[in-house]
Amino acid sequence: MKFSFATAEDEKPIKQILAEIDLPYQDISSSQLRHFLIVKDGSGSTLAGVVGLELRDDAGLLRSLAVADAYRRKGLATQLVNKIEEYARSQNITALYLLTLTAEDFFAARKYQKTDRESAPPALQETAEFKRLCPETAVCMKKHL
């Protein structure tokens, strides 16, 4: 498995894997992909997983964590989260936020804590994910880095 940052060539497969598991992808542009980490299979031809980061001042929005069905239960999601957290620290991010409908337990096991959506920094609340893509029923979580 090979981890790397996404390029414009990865945009279509990233959107496809996100669509397959009903995660928002409509706002993802090729310019945002520089903050998306991907993992491909050994041949380098198949996208196995992805995670993204939106940077706003000293806060980040962790988004778009997805692993293709064929690669689940192999620890890839945990590896992707660990690597994107390392990247966030290198970008001077002090706290990560996320919105989830289905992965609260996964993130809680990685020390993310449930928080009020309104407590997220205003700059994060202005993202498409907060404003229109994730429903109000999504759980907001935070982790200090």
Side-chain angles (χ1 to χ4, degrees):
M1 303 304 265
K2 183 177 185 230
F3 291 85
S4 64
F5 282 95
T7 66
E9 296 167 0
D10 300 308
E11 184 174 356
K12 186 176 178 181
I14 286 171
K15 288 182 175 182
Q16 183 177 350
I17 196 173
L18 294 174
E20 287 172 4
I21 61 171
D22 293 324
L23 286 179
Y25 63 87
Q26 299 84 345
D27 65 319
I28 297 172
S29 65
S30 55
S31 65
Q32 285 178 293
L33 293 180
R34 69 177 190 222
H35 301 299
F36 275 62
L37 183 64
I38 61 171
V39 59
K40 291 187 176 181
D41 68 357
S43 70
S45 61
T46 302
L47 182 67
V50 62
V51 66
L53 187 64
E54 288 191 45
L55 306 172
R56 299 289 191 272
D57 303 320
D58 64 348
L61 177 64
L62 189 153
R63 60 167 297 171
S64 307
L65 175 63
V67 175
D69 281 340
Y71 300 95
R72 292 196 178 156
R73 309 241 183 270
K74 298 177 192 276
L76 285 181
T78 297
Q79 291 178 60
L80 284 163
V81 169
N82 290 344
K83 288 179 182 297
I84 207 72
E85 287 176 358
E86 286 175 31
Y87 175 67
R89 284 184 194 95
S90 77
Q91 299 298 304
N92 298 314
I93 298 298
T94 59
L96 284 178
Y97 290 80
L98 62 89
L99 296 169
T100 184
L101 291 168
T102 60
E104 182 178 354
D105 291 342
F106 172 85
F107 285 105
R110 283 141 193 89
K111 300 187 176 25
Y112 285 80
Q113 297 179 330
K114 191 172 177 179
T115 188
D116 291 330
R117 193 172 178 142
E118 298 77 30
S119 72
L124 289 182
Q125 292 185 38
E126 290 300 314
T127 64
E129 192 139 320
F130 263 84
K131 286 178 87 168
R132 68 179 194 280
L133 296 176
C134 282
E136 290 295 321
T137 55
V139 173
C140 184
M141 302 183 84
K142 175 184 180 180
K143 180 177 183 177
H144 290 283
L145 297 181

